[in-house]
Amino acid sequence: MQIQILVIEDDEILNSGLCYNLQKRGITPFSAYCVEEAKSLLKKEHFDLILLDVNLPDGNGFDFTEETVSRCNVPFLFLTAHNLEDEIIQGLRAGAEDYIVKPFSIRVLMEKIQAVLRRCSGTKKTEPYVCGSLTIDLENRLVKNKGSLVSLTPTEFEILEVFCRNRDQILTKEVLLEKIWDRKENYVNEHALSLNVSRLRNKISDGEHEYIKTIYGLGYKWAGEMQ
C-alpha cells in the first residue's frame, strides 16, 4: 500500500521542498497550509504520518493535535522554529514522535521519518472490516464473502478500500476519479469508473445486503453497516 504523509506547513517553499523530498523516496505527500485545509484532507484521506508546524495562520499545532490528530491514530512529528525547552516537552507530551527545530537537515529529517514509519508499521495493525457477509482485510488485501475468497482486480480493491475508509461520506465521481486514477496521472472518464463500481458491486453482492448505494446526481455511498 502506498505510504501517504500529510505536510502541514504554511511556508510554501518549505512545504514544497518537503513534498519533493518525500516523492523522491516513493512517498505520496499531501500539502496543507493551515488547520482547516489539514482537517479537510484528514476527512478524505488515510495518512501514515503527519509533519506539523506549531504556528499556523488559523491555529496552534498543539491544539490541533489534541482536538483532531489524537482521534485519527496517526503518528506525527512537530517541525517548528521554537526551541524553548518547555515547548519541546509540551510537544513530546502531546504524543509527537519527535520535535524537530528549524532550521534542520532535510537528509536527517527523511531518515527520522523512515525510522518512525518502520517503528509504527511494526505495531500498527488494521483490523479487518466485517460488514454483512463480507470480511475485508485491507492489510493483506483479502476479501471474503461468506468465508469464500472474492477475486478482485487491483482497481476494484482500491475502490473498495476508498469506500471502507470513507464509509460515512458520499463519494462523488470526481473524488473517486481523483483518488483512484488522476493522482497517478492515469486519467479515465466516468464510464470507466461506473463500470468498475458495477463489477465490484456484483462481486461482493450476496443477495441480502446492498453494500454500494448509488446517490443519483452525486455519486456513491457505502450502505453496509460495519461491525
Side-chain angles (χ1 to χ4, degrees), residues 131-180:
C131 183
S133 60
L134 285 179
T135 301
I136 304 164
D137 185 344
L138 298 181
E139 189 167 335
N140 296 301
R141 299 182 70 83
L142 295 174
V143 180
K144 292 183 178 180
N145 193 336
K146 297 182 179 178
S148 298
L149 196 63
V150 179
S151 179
L152 300 180
T153 67
T155 298
E156 289 165 354
F157 189 89
E158 283 187 58
I159 294 172
L160 180 60
E161 181 174 0
V162 171
F163 277 119
C164 288
R165 295 196 186 281
N166 302 273
R167 54 190 180 276
D168 296 324
Q169 301 178 40
I170 295 174
L171 295 171
T172 66
K173 292 181 178 179
E174 291 77 13
V175 166
L176 285 168
L177 286 169
E178 196 280 327
K179 286 178 179 289
I180 307 300

Side-chain angles (χ1 to χ4, degrees), residues 33-60:
Y33 301 96
C34 64
V35 168
E36 286 307 310
E37 288 180 358
K39 287 180 178 179
S40 177
L41 284 168
L42 282 166
K43 290 178 182 178
K44 300 174 185 175
E45 299 286 344
H46 163 77
F47 295 104
D48 300 279
L49 180 66
I50 295 173
L51 304 182
L52 172 64
D53 192 6
V54 171
N55 287 332
L56 294 163
D58 58 345
N60 174 303

Side-chain angles (χ1 to χ4, degrees), residues 181-192:
W181 286 281
D182 292 359
R183 75 167 60 158
K184 303 173 188 174
E185 297 185 355
N186 180 20
Y187 302 102
V188 301
N189 57 29
E190 290 187 3
H191 176 72

Side-chain angles (χ1 to χ4, degrees), residues 48-223:
D48 300 279
L49 180 66
I50 295 173
L51 304 182
L52 172 64
D53 192 6
V54 171
N55 287 332
L56 294 163
D58 58 345
N60 174 303
F62 297 133
D63 294 338
F64 177 65
T65 57
E66 182 179 349
E67 296 167 4
T68 305
V69 178
S70 60
R71 301 176 186 174
C72 302
N73 193 29
V74 181
F76 61 95
L77 299 173
F78 277 121
L79 307 176
T80 176
H82 292 206
N83 61 358
L84 296 177
E85 185 177 275
D86 287 346
E87 291 199 355
I88 294 173
I89 291 171
Q90 182 182 357
L92 295 173
R93 285 180 175 174
E97 297 292 329
D98 207 339
Y99 189 101
I100 299 169
V101 178
K102 303 172 186 176
F104 49 78
S105 162
I106 287 288
R107 289 182 62 196
V108 171
L109 174 61
M110 292 298 134
E111 289 304 316
K112 288 190 175 188
I113 288 171
Q114 294 292 354
V116 172
L117 291 172
R118 285 194 299 270
R119 184 164 65 249
C120 293
S121 66
T123 58
K124 185 178 173 183
K125 292 262 184 178
T126 302
E127 293 296 320
Y129 292 99
V130 177
C131 183
S133 60
L134 285 179
T135 301
I136 304 164
D137 185 344
L138 298 181
E139 189 167 335
N140 296 301
R141 299 182 70 83
L142 295 174
V143 180
K144 292 183 178 180
N145 193 336
K146 297 182 179 178
S148 298
L149 196 63
V150 179
S151 179
L152 300 180
T153 67
T155 298
E156 289 165 354
F157 189 89
E158 283 187 58
I159 294 172
L160 180 60
E161 181 174 0
V162 171
F163 277 119
C164 288
R165 295 196 186 281
N166 302 273
R167 54 190 180 276
D168 296 324
Q169 301 178 40
I170 295 174
L171 295 171
T172 66
K173 292 181 178 179
E174 291 77 13
V175 166
L176 285 168
L177 286 169
E178 196 280 327
K179 286 178 179 289
I180 307 300
W181 286 281
D182 292 359
R183 75 167 60 158
K184 303 173 188 174
E185 297 185 355
N186 180 20
Y187 302 102
V188 301
N189 57 29
E190 290 187 3
H191 176 72
L193 169 64
S194 300
L195 186 61
N196 277 276
V197 171
S198 177
R199 287 174 177 168
L200 172 62
R201 182 185 270 145
N202 290 335
K203 287 183 179 182
I204 63 176
S205 173
D206 58 14
E208 298 176 20
H209 303 90
E210 180 185 14
Y211 295 112
I212 301 173
K213 184 177 181 180
T214 299
I215 309 297
Y216 291 101
L218 292 175
Y220 303 94
K221 187 176 188 300
W222 186 259

